[in-house]
Amino acid sequence: MGMLEELEDASATGRGATLEDVARVAGVSRATVSRVVRGDVQVRRDKVAKVERAVHELGYVPNNAARSLASRQTGAVALIVPEHESRVFTDPFFVSAISGVTAGLDVSDKQLLLVLSSPQDHARTRRFLRGGHADGLLVVSHHDGDLSVEVLQEAAVPVVFIGRPPAGLTAPFVDLDNTEGGRLAARHLIERGRRRIAMVCGPQDMPAAVDRREGFEKELADAGIESAWLSFGDFTLASGEREATALLESGTEFDALFASSDLMALGALKKLEGRGIHVPEDVAVVGFDDIASAADDTISLTTVVNPGRRLAELGAAMLLDLIAGREIEQRTVLCPELAVRSTT
Amino acid sequence: MGMLEELEDASATGRGATLEDVARVAGVSRATVSRVVRGDVQVRRDKVAKVERAVHELGYVPNNAARSLASRQTGAVALIVPEHESRVFTDPFFVSAISGVTAGLDVSDKQLLLVLSSPQDHARTRRFLRGGHADGLLVVSHHDGDLSVEVLQEAAVPVVFIGRPPAGLTAPFVDLDNTEGGRLAARHLIERGRRRIAMVCGPQDMPAAVDRREGFEKELADAGIESAWLSFGDFTLASGEREATALLESGTEFDALFASSDLMALGALKKLEGRGIHVPEDVAVVGFDDIASAADDTISLTTVVNPGRRLAELGAAMLLDLIAGREIEQRTVLCPELAVRSTT
DNA sequence: GTGAAAGCGCTAACAG
DNA sequence: CTGTTAGCGCTTTCAC
């Protein structure tokens, strides 16, 4: 299937007291009970007390379905991740993003629906979007073509991108300045005296990956040097290994490697070490993301910090504002920092 | 918050054609449209065609909330994982379990709600359970006290455990014969000529961890040898490292180590190698689970195969049967196998 | 086979 | 501040 999500939704099934029961016991009208239950402040204190007692007594729990039906709100927000399950559960960046969204939603009573939609699930995702399951959408890790304007529009709810949307798709977003991130990495390497710098880029159908590459290339150009090698992975550990191997086998001389994700950097590191290449003596390595294991003693990877958690949190807040009908900044772009450790 | 879930649920928000619209366009009654939409076979072919055309024409999508409200069914099934987010996204076993459930549910139209409920979220989980959000519950990775009979009963829906529930909690379940798994590991090590065997157990508030330890101990006892050392981790990589360090520092002599999870085995392996101990020459290592990286060339860990995916799939099928009111086998116990690789 | 009618439990104007 | 009144959109007996 390919949908995975956070939730708390759906509807109450059967049993249980209804608003009406509570109203009867408390000796007030249904509307009043409804107000109390939702915290609609305009109710006299004594009635509130009565209602609360009745609610407790009856073990009343609101019926979600009825609530949604009447309010035309689902009480949920969906986080759309156009990646395969295995990737999401494997890349720490997503974990931080998810926990960031969770945190950002915490101030509201919205539930998180995690929607993993690998390419094959296109139809399913579309159905989901049309199904009106959420009051708002958060999109992370978007590749070109994953979601079209039309499909998004069908959902008829506010959308916020975590990471700049591709050209042609206009939507509010939060993002890291990935171009600057690429520059940062390149500059650092140059300052360390490296001149034969290779880069393993991320998938070029993702704006973030493109930006990182461009920033890297620009910085090199500004310094009047050319990149020693450029290749493309998909942000995974395996692709990092693969591209490092290719780099090694190409016979290219290089004294530094910039990987567009920590996972790829880790994969490359493994291969380099396997060949007896010393890091950072022979080759300096810089990653991107700053996943937890990058700071691990035995790895200690120099990397560009990608505050995924923070971005996600901001994105969630933006979405909440949008849903509430508040005005928001259409774009929020954070400035990257470099965490210098032992690989450079 | 601490709930994470799969979903597809909630309710349609606004817009869109209703059953009534379709009925009008198709020239039939609402009831008929409803029957057609749900595939309630008793409808004349020509009317079916008319309805389908109208549905297509209007782009009709059923409103979930209304559906749930009327049918008193949510169309969702919850997978309860009493673990912290970080753990779930970090342990490949959960990934297989999740994908197994996903697969098992695929034959139905039920949606998966992933509920991560760390201990602090007890109240939240309880609320969720009482909320009637799902038509059935699947519980995996249950620790003593995580869920009580009462709490489960409040949900008032069928429950299936993936992994034997603790004493006192009676529920249908699917499980691996963990005792046999522990035996298998011990026997293998003994057959390899090892006699000073250490074990890093899992948390003893989990039946699976207890069983693995007991199987291990029994097999050793049958062979007339005593375990060299026994300690307890929590199934994570970090705890594997920690316990291995403790083992090393205790000065205990040992020529084999059985870890109750692959992640712990990996952590231990790292520490052993860090100390210049050769595996398997000096120390043989056996893990449990057979996560993907266990089969990795550079690791090649001998391990007891825990078919998490299969178990989860079976569990989901059982739950579906239960929800449909069908009779089921109260317990399904799979027999473990050993994957012999390079660490023994 | 098919339609009519009666809600599911709640929210949301609208009076008062 | 509070009660009354309508539905939200769909499923589900129950007759026909």
Side-chain angles (χ1 to χ4, degrees), chain B:
Chain B
M1 41 190 323
M3 309 223 122
L4 233 215
E5 298 79 72
E6 164 140 7
L7 79 27
E8 185 159 340
D9 176 357
S11 85
T13 268
R15 227 18 51 119
T18 71
L19 246 206
E20 176 114 39
D21 300 329
V22 178
R24 196 176 323 111
V25 172
V28 299
S29 75
R30 258 155 62 215
T32 298
V33 177
S34 176
R35 290 179 186 116
V36 172
V37 170
R38 283 172 306 143
D40 229 33
V41 226
Q42 338 264 49
V43 179
R44 250 167 47 202
R45 312 190 90 248
D46 58 323
K47 299 216 171 187
V48 172
K50 274 188 191 166
V51 171
E52 281 171 346
R53 192 169 321 120
V55 164
H56 187 80
E57 202 170 287
L58 299 172
Y60 168 75
V61 179
N63 176 317
N64 250 288
R67 203 198 274 266
S68 298
L69 183 55
S71 68
R72 311 174 131 281
Q73 286 236 79
T74 66
V77 153
L79 175 61
I80 317 274
V81 189
E83 297 284 354
H84 184 72
E85 188 181 4
S86 63
R87 171 86 205 285
V88 176
F89 284 99
T90 256
D91 189 336
F93 176 75
F94 289 111
V95 179
S96 9
I98 292 171
S99 86
V101 171
T102 299
L105 252 32
D106 231 5
V107 299
S108 78
D109 53 344
K110 298 288 184 200
Q111 286 314 129
L112 210 218
L113 271 33
L114 215 200
V115 181
L116 266 41
S117 79
S118 29
Q120 323 93 338
D121 292 321
H122 228 84
R124 189 188 178 94
T125 305
R126 183 159 185 177
R127 232 184 309 134
F128 174 81
L129 258 18
R130 301 192 40 171
H133 299 282
D135 300 331
L137 267 27
L138 243 17
V139 181
V140 69
S141 188
H142 184 275
H143 301 246
D144 273 353
D146 278 340
L147 260 26
S148 65
V149 212
E150 297 76 43
V151 169
L152 245 22
Q153 270 175 183
E154 283 181 348
V157 292
V159 182
V160 170
F161 274 71
I162 298 175
R164 175 167 58 81
L169 239 173
T170 308
F173 68 87
V174 288
D175 202 0
L176 181 71
D177 187 335
N178 284 290
T179 307
E180 185 55 29
R183 276 185 179 278
L184 229 48
R187 191 175 315 148
H188 174 68
L189 255 8
I190 293 170
E191 285 172 1
R192 284 286 205 253
R194 310 290 168 155
R195 290 296 177 273
R196 312 253 343 132
I197 311 179
M199 173 172 183
V200 178
C201 311
Q204 298 297 299
D205 59 354
M206 298 183 69
V210 172
D211 290 356
R212 288 173 198 177
R213 176 179 53 71
E214 290 183 352
F216 170 79
E217 291 179 324
K218 280 185 194 149
E219 189 68 24
L220 288 200
D222 288 357
I225 63 184
E226 260 180 53
S227 67
W229 158 281
L230 219 62
S231 72
F232 302 88
D234 61 6
F235 283 151
T236 65
L237 192 87
S239 73
E241 290 185 27
R242 194 187 62 221
E243 296 310 321
T245 304
L247 169 54
L248 255 12
E249 287 178 354
S250 72
T252 308
E253 276 184 42
F254 66 106
D255 56 16
L257 175 63
F258 170 39
S260 197
S261 80
D262 281 353
L263 243 24
M264 294 199 297
L266 260 31
L269 236 27
K270 188 175 162 192
K271 283 299 172 198
L272 293 181
E273 283 166 2
R275 299 288 180 107
I277 293 174
H278 294 276
V279 175
E281 295 78 7
D282 305 329
V283 173
V285 175
V286 175
F288 206 114
D289 280 344
D290 195 28
I291 63 179
S293 55
D296 191 299
D297 281 348
T298 64
I299 297 180
S300 190
L301 175 71
T302 291
T303 193
V304 180
V305 180
N306 186 4
R309 207 188 130 87
R310 178 104 194 87
L311 285 174
E313 199 169 342
L314 287 171
M318 285 171 68
L319 184 61
L320 253 20
D321 282 342
L322 240 27
I323 292 174
R326 287 174 229 124
E327 290 294 316
I328 65 158
E329 213 63 66
Q330 286 298 300
R331 51 176 61 202
T332 303
V333 178
L334 265 38
C335 222
E337 282 173 29
L338 192 70
V340 180
R341 303 209 181 85
S342 323
T343 57
T344 50

Side-chain angles (χ1 to χ4, degrees), chain A residues 1 3-7 9-11 13-14 59 64 69 72 74 85 89 99 102 111 113 124 130 132-133, chain B residues 1 3-7 9-11 13-14 59 64 69 72 74 85 89 99 102 111 124 130-133:
Chain A
M1 42 191 324
M3 308 222 122
L4 232 216
E5 299 79 68
E6 164 142 8
L7 77 32
D9 175 356
S11 85
T13 268
N64 249 290
L69 182 55
R72 310 173 131 283
T74 65
E85 186 181 4
F89 283 99
S99 85
T102 299
Q111 288 313 132
L113 271 33
R124 188 188 179 94
R130 302 192 39 171
H133 299 282
Chain B
M1 41 190 323
M3 309 223 122
L4 233 215
E5 298 79 72
E6 164 140 7
L7 79 27
D9 176 357
S11 85
T13 268
N64 250 288
L69 183 55
R72 311 174 131 281
T74 66
E85 188 181 4
F89 284 99
S99 86
T102 299
Q111 286 314 129
R124 189 188 178 94
R130 301 192 40 171
H133 299 282

